[in-house]
Amino acid sequence: MRGALTNNIDGIVGECGGGLACATCHCYIDDAWTDVVGPPATDAERDMLECAAEPAQANSRLSCQITVSEALDGLVVHMPAAQY
């Protein structure tokens, strides 16, 4: 999420600044990357995804909860139609 905000990526709002409190950084992880992204969403993340403007899917994540590493170089995510 921070990388998206720093680089002005359209569609990532990050209102709470990464505090797991708003779901405005909701994204859909490309199927080829779901296992690479790391551990699945926690219960708290899944609860927050229920508040997202667009329906959560099996590949939904809050981008603020993804730890960036070299393994994610080339990561593909898809943005929901809306964050509000």
Side-chain angles (χ1 to χ4, degrees), residues 3-55:
L5 291 176
T6 300
N7 292 287
N8 299 313
I9 302 298
D10 243 1
I12 297 290
V13 180
E15 279 188 351
C16 74
L20 191 56
C22 74
T24 61
C25 66
H26 178 208
C27 63
Y28 302 111
I29 304 299
D30 189 83
D31 291 338
W33 287 89
T34 53
D35 291 336
V36 182
V37 166
T42 63
D43 288 342
E45 184 177 350
R46 282 192 299 277
D47 287 347
M48 189 54 57
L49 282 165
E50 290 179 17
C51 301
E54 296 291 320

Side-chain angles (χ1 to χ4, degrees), residues 34-81:
T34 53
D35 291 336
V36 182
V37 166
T42 63
D43 288 342
E45 184 177 350
R46 282 192 299 277
D47 287 347
M48 189 54 57
L49 282 165
E50 290 179 17
C51 301
E54 296 291 320
Q57 301 174 4
N59 62 339
S60 285
R61 291 297 305 267
L62 296 179
S63 60
C64 69
Q65 298 303 296
I66 298 170
T67 302
V68 176
S69 70
E70 287 185 20
L72 297 182
D73 186 21
L75 174 66
V76 176
V77 299
H78 305 279
M79 301 309 303

